[in-house]
Amino acid sequence: RCYIAPERFRSRRKDRGKRTSSAHTGTSSRAQQMIKRQMADIFSVGCVLAELNLDGEVIFTREQMLQYLKGRYNPGKKLERVADIRVQSMIRQMLNSVPGQRGSAKSHLQQECGKLFPRSFQFLFALMSGLLLPGLGDGDARLLYFAAQSRTILKELAIGDDVATTSLGESLGLLESTIAYITGLDLSSGAMADLPSRRMRLLSKLPSTIPEGKKGGGREAASAIGIIATVVFATLPLTVWPKSRCVGLRLLMALSPHLPANLIVEVGLPVLITLTKDADPSVRCAAIRATTRLLEALRFLSKRSSSSSSSSLGSPRLFTDYVFPEMAKKLQDCEEVRSTYASCLESLSTSALTYHIFWEEMYTRRLAKCESGRARERKNERKDRGAKGHYADAAALVTEGNTLLRFEIIELRALKRDHRRAKEQVKNLTAEAVASLLSNPGRSRERRAVIDKIQQIMVTIGETRVNQQLLRAVVPPLNDQDWQLRASVLRRMVGISLYCKSVVRTMVLLPCVTSALSNTAEESVVFEAVVASTALAQLRLINGQSTLASMTKAIAPLLCHPNPCLRRVAIEFLNAVDANLDPALTFSVVRPEILPFLKEGGSSSGILSLGRRTLTSVLRPPITEEQQRKFTENIERVRAASPEEAAVALSKSLGENTSVRGPSTFAKRMASLLSSTAQQRYKPKRAIQRIDRKWRDAFS
């Protein structure tokens, strides 16, 4: 093969003489040399296009090129076999022996825009031409250049071929102003403190998240944006500043819905995994988020993707042997990186399972097709066994094809089995990672990140692994010192309860909710516990008289709590119990607990239901904030106040007469609630050991 332009085949003598005369006369300028070089490149592009359209047939050899230079060889006969007339005409022009008649890349693009080339290539050409300018030679400037044009890129390129770009002139003008701005910056310094003020202002104007364009535009949009993504992937390892790498990773996240799957797996994933080992923590976090976002594109694989020649795209070891082992190393990283990995774990596992399910189904369809073809060939072979003459050769051919199908069936069965095993391995790796993240008491940030996605993770790994591995790690956060972590677990208690066995729910989870109700130091924790109890009652998951009694005993004082939110959710709980549980159980267990909080005569007349309106009409007036403040002041005077002394103090704040019968039951119950709120500082209970014993009893 020879791709060198014919004008470069000159004798050394003539070349030397020309260079000498040029040096003396000064007629050869840099601009002329640039034009000559571009014309030679156009000739090389024509050779490549000719080979692509001739199924790999060589258009020029070295000997043919020398003959072409002398006018003794004409490639036109070969080009006549190019099917498309427009492509044939363009290649003929590119292969012209006169450099000035070949045309430039820009002229060919303008001439064939919307015909041979997509309309989006006009903007893409202007965008990529900016990279040739001297001021955009380093990686930091290029990523800054692409990020500043991110919205324009998505607007111009993430569209279909049949959609005309009405704002192309405006986009090109914005492109030129960005180039002029960036090329005027001093990008030689490597320290953030030495950055020019103009570049710092531009970096500060870049959005923290780049909005994604609408997925669409077909293969042309994917190919156009894929070219930009390839340049960004190649530029990321060449940058100096961590801020530039973070900007480039955010740009890739915005482009991810439009990228082809083979580009993500073969080009992007190795670069992103390398960046997860960067020295800067912010880059590692951005790389983890970008990896997660790009792998989400594998959830939307199609039959066209499955027909790709990429060997890495359909590999059953992509996640189990590459992605998850590399991400598991982040469990030993700093807190920021660990919490980022914890927040992305659910998405990674979902993408992995979707990927393996797609390929398992794809191989199943291919296997069924091959088996039906093999059965059909066997039938034909049996028919041809008794034939004579030329039918014997046909039978031999059928046997050969049958053998090839047999080997293909064996390979497809192995691939299907590997994907099924990899799917189970992904579930195990996810469960192990979640258990590891939740088992560290001092790491509340990543534990909250895992708990926020715990319901989706449970759906991903399945009921068996939830009961065997995950629930043991979910319970200890309910006894953690971090009240936000406890509230987060209670907020998702209903979803957790639906995935565990009835015995485990009754003996482990419901006592944990009851324990959270009795801890009134943090009202947000109590609020989430009451909301969880209400949902469990609506789903009829509260089993046992003792559990219902303990829950009602803890929630009943909240009916007169100073906080209106707690009063409202307490009424909702009683309403859910009355509507969904056994009426006999409600009458015998729930009503005795709420009698002290009813108005005078409410217990004697009785109430027919525990509905919202009925309860609101018969409840005592709530404790006011002023009464709570006076009670707190009285309690603070006596550091070790007994329950009786606390009840007397509250009775005085309420104006009750305690000289005859002492404090009322209402005062005792409310004093117990308010004193625990005023004095109790949460200390982790030794409930984990008790829960472990219950756990062993539940599974024994």
Side-chain angles (χ1 to χ4, degrees):
R1 288 181 174 87
C2 182
Y3 300 147
I4 302 176
E7 62 267 19
R8 295 191 177 182
F9 283 85
R10 289 176 295 195
S11 63
R12 295 182 180 179
R13 192 173 193 178
K14 292 182 180 180
D15 198 22
R16 191 183 303 114
K18 188 174 181 179
R19 287 200 304 267
T20 305
S21 61
S22 298
H24 287 287
T25 59
T27 56
S28 177
S29 63
R30 290 186 179 180
Q32 292 175 345
Q33 293 177 2
M34 180 74 71
I35 293 174
K36 291 179 181 179
R37 196 178 300 117
Q38 290 177 356
M39 293 298 102
D41 292 339
I42 291 295
F43 185 89
S44 302
V45 171
C47 294
V48 174
L49 292 177
E51 285 194 21
L52 290 175
N53 287 274
L54 293 174
D55 297 329
E57 183 178 350
V58 178
I59 189 70
F60 285 110
T61 62
R62 184 180 178 86
E63 292 76 12
Q64 289 172 341
M65 183 62 70
L66 294 175
Q67 296 295 323
Y68 183 62
L69 187 61
K70 298 176 183 179
R72 300 175 183 174
Y73 174 73
N74 184 13
K77 294 181 179 180
K78 291 184 178 180
L79 293 177
E80 289 177 356
R81 291 183 310 201
V82 177
D84 196 323
I85 301 299
R86 289 186 174 275
V87 176
Q88 184 184 138
S89 175
M90 185 179 67
I91 295 175
R92 286 180 184 274
Q93 185 179 356
M94 288 181 172
L95 296 181
N96 198 304
S97 58
V98 181
Q101 298 180 4
R102 293 172 189 162
S104 63
K106 187 174 183 179
S107 64
H108 285 295
L109 181 62
Q110 291 177 348
Q111 183 179 357
E112 301 295 339
C113 184
K115 301 171 185 176
L116 288 180
F117 304 112
R119 291 188 178 92
S120 58
F121 272 38
Q122 192 169 358
F123 173 77
L124 183 63
F125 175 79
L127 181 72
M128 303 303 289
S129 298
L131 300 178
L132 302 177
L133 297 176
L136 294 176
D138 62 302
D140 297 277
R142 290 186 174 186
L143 289 182
L144 182 60
Y145 169 64
F146 281 126
Q149 291 295 318
S150 58
R151 296 178 184 271
T152 311
I153 289 171
L154 291 172
K155 181 179 69 174
E156 295 294 336
L157 300 184
I159 56 176
D161 256 0
D162 54 342
V163 181
T165 307
T166 56
S167 58
L168 182 60
E170 179 185 352
S171 300
L172 293 178
L174 182 61
L175 194 64
E176 292 177 0
S177 62
T178 304
I179 292 174
Y181 189 91
I182 296 177
T183 53
L185 302 179
D186 180 16
L187 298 169
S188 59
S189 174
M192 290 297 291
D194 297 331
L195 287 178
S197 58
R198 292 171 63 195
R199 186 179 189 280
M200 289 297 294
R201 287 199 301 271
L202 184 57
L203 280 174
S204 63
K205 291 179 181 179
L206 292 177
S208 57
T209 56
I210 300 174
E212 299 178 0
K214 294 182 179 180
K215 186 171 179 61
R219 300 174 63 182
E220 290 77 12
S223 61
I225 295 182
I227 293 173
I228 299 175
T230 303
V231 177
V232 174
F233 283 130
T235 308
L236 278 171
L238 306 178
T239 55
V240 177
W241 297 310
K243 180 71 173 178
S244 301
R245 292 193 286 277
C246 293
V247 167
L249 290 169
R250 290 204 300 268
L251 176 62
L252 289 174
M253 292 171 65
L255 300 179
S256 61
H258 313 281
L259 298 182
N262 57 345
L263 177 66
I264 293 174
V265 173
E266 296 182 349
V267 180
L269 198 56
V271 176
L272 296 177
I273 293 296
T274 303
L275 288 177
T276 58
K277 307 172 186 177
D278 194 88
D280 191 88
S282 62
V283 177
R284 297 200 296 272
C285 294
I288 292 173
R289 286 191 287 266
T291 303
T292 304
R293 181 68 63 83
L294 263 68
L295 288 177
E296 288 178 359
L298 299 183
R299 303 182 188 180
F300 307 102
L301 289 173
S302 61
K303 293 183 179 180
R304 184 183 300 166
S305 304
S306 65
S307 61
S308 173
S309 59
S310 171
S311 59
S312 304
L313 184 57
S315 173
R317 297 185 177 88
L318 176 63
F319 284 91
T320 56
D321 292 357
Y322 185 46
V323 176
F324 274 96
E326 291 293 336
M327 291 296 177
K329 298 176 183 177
K330 308 309 165 194
L331 294 173
Q332 309 301 326
D333 213 317
C334 62
E335 181 182 5
E336 183 181 2
V337 177
R338 290 197 308 268
S339 59
T340 303
Y341 172 57
S343 62
C344 296
L345 181 59
E346 180 270 333
S347 180
L348 283 173
S349 60
T350 303
S351 300
L353 284 179
T354 308
Y355 170 84
H356 289 300
I357 290 172
F358 170 81
W359 284 106
E360 186 180 355
E361 293 177 352
M362 183 61 63
Y363 290 134
T364 301
R365 288 195 291 268
R366 290 184 184 176
L367 186 61
K369 187 176 180 180
C370 290
E371 287 178 344
S372 63
R374 186 183 179 190
R376 189 164 52 250
E377 287 189 358
R378 282 180 174 177
K379 183 178 180 180
N380 295 335
E381 185 179 359
R382 285 195 298 267
K383 289 182 179 180
D384 295 337
R385 277 180 181 175
K388 298 180 180 180
H390 62 278
Y391 289 103
D393 298 332
L397 291 175
V398 170
T399 305
E400 182 181 355
N402 204 347
T403 303
L404 294 176
L405 276 177
R406 187 172 70 250
F407 285 124
E408 186 176 358
I409 288 172
I410 293 173
E411 182 182 2
L412 289 174
R413 286 176 178 173
L415 288 171
K416 180 182 176 182
R417 182 176 61 253
D418 290 343
H419 277 284
R420 188 184 299 114
R421 291 175 179 174
K423 188 169 59 176
E424 298 301 319
Q425 192 173 355
V426 165
K427 295 180 181 180
N428 290 329
L429 291 172
T430 305
E432 292 173 2
V434 171
S436 177
L437 288 166
L438 293 177
S439 61
N440 296 316
R443 300 177 177 179
S444 299
R445 185 175 174 182
E446 54 261 36
R447 296 172 86 185
R448 288 199 300 269
V450 173
I451 291 298
D452 288 341
K453 301 292 183 67
I454 193 66
Q455 295 174 345
Q456 295 91 325
I457 292 175
M458 286 181 169
V459 174
T460 301
I461 66 177
E463 185 177 356
T464 303
R465 290 177 180 83
V466 167
N467 286 279
Q468 293 179 354
Q469 302 179 24
L470 207 58
L471 284 180
R472 185 184 292 271
V474 171
V475 173
L478 288 169
N479 299 284
D480 195 84
Q481 294 184 7
D482 186 4
W483 65 270
Q484 294 179 350
L485 179 60
R486 300 199 305 276
S488 181
V489 178
L490 290 168
R491 196 175 299 121
R492 289 152 185 85
M493 182 57 68
V494 178
I496 296 172
S497 301
L498 291 173
Y499 262 85
C500 65
K501 296 181 179 180
S502 177
V503 178
V504 177
R505 180 173 59 247
T506 304
M507 299 184 64
V508 179
L509 296 182
L510 293 181
C512 290
V513 176
T514 306
S515 177
L517 289 170
S518 62
N519 173 35
T520 56
E522 297 292 344
E523 292 183 357
S524 58
V525 176
V526 179
F527 177 84
E528 296 295 345
V530 178
V531 171
S533 303
T534 304
L536 292 172
Q538 291 173 347
L539 295 173
R540 301 181 181 181
L541 297 178
I542 300 178
N543 301 323
Q545 181 176 348
S546 60
T547 303
L548 180 61
S550 58
M551 279 187 175
T552 308
K553 185 175 181 179
I555 292 175
L558 301 178
L559 294 170
C560 299
H561 196 276
N563 191 333
C565 294
L566 293 181
R567 295 200 300 269
R568 178 176 59 83
V569 293
I571 293 174
E572 291 294 333
F573 169 77
L574 294 175
N575 184 33
V577 168
D578 184 59
N580 296 280
L581 299 185
D582 186 9
L585 194 63
T586 304
F587 185 83
S588 61
V589 176
V590 177
R591 297 197 181 198
E593 296 293 341
I594 66 173
L595 287 180
F597 305 95
L598 303 181
K599 292 179 180 178
E600 295 288 339
S603 59
S604 59
S605 60
I607 54 177
L608 299 177
S609 68
L610 299 180
R612 299 182 187 89
R613 293 184 179 180
T614 305
L615 282 175
T616 305
S617 61
V618 299
L619 283 177
R620 282 175 176 263
I623 301 294
T624 63
E625 294 183 359
E626 181 65 22
Q627 292 172 343
Q628 185 182 15
R629 185 184 61 78
K630 291 182 180 180
F631 171 75
T632 304
E633 292 176 356
N634 294 332
I635 290 296
E636 288 177 352
R637 295 173 187 172
V638 184
R639 294 183 179 180
S642 63
E644 189 68 25
E645 293 173 343
V648 172
L650 181 61
S651 297
K652 292 180 180 180
S653 301
L654 297 175
E656 294 181 354
N657 185 9
T658 59
S659 59
V660 181
R661 291 186 293 181
S664 62
T665 305
F666 171 76
K668 292 179 181 179
R669 297 282 296 276
M670 292 303 300
S672 176
L673 174 68
L674 297 178
S675 61
S676 62
T677 305
Q679 292 183 338
Q680 181 183 11
R681 297 179 62 185
Y682 185 80
K683 298 179 180 179
K685 302 178 181 179
R686 295 183 178 179
I688 297 178
Q689 297 178 357
R690 184 170 64 254
I691 289 173
D692 284 340
R693 289 196 299 270
K694 291 183 178 181
W695 202 285
R696 287 193 296 269
D697 295 340
F699 282 101
S700 61

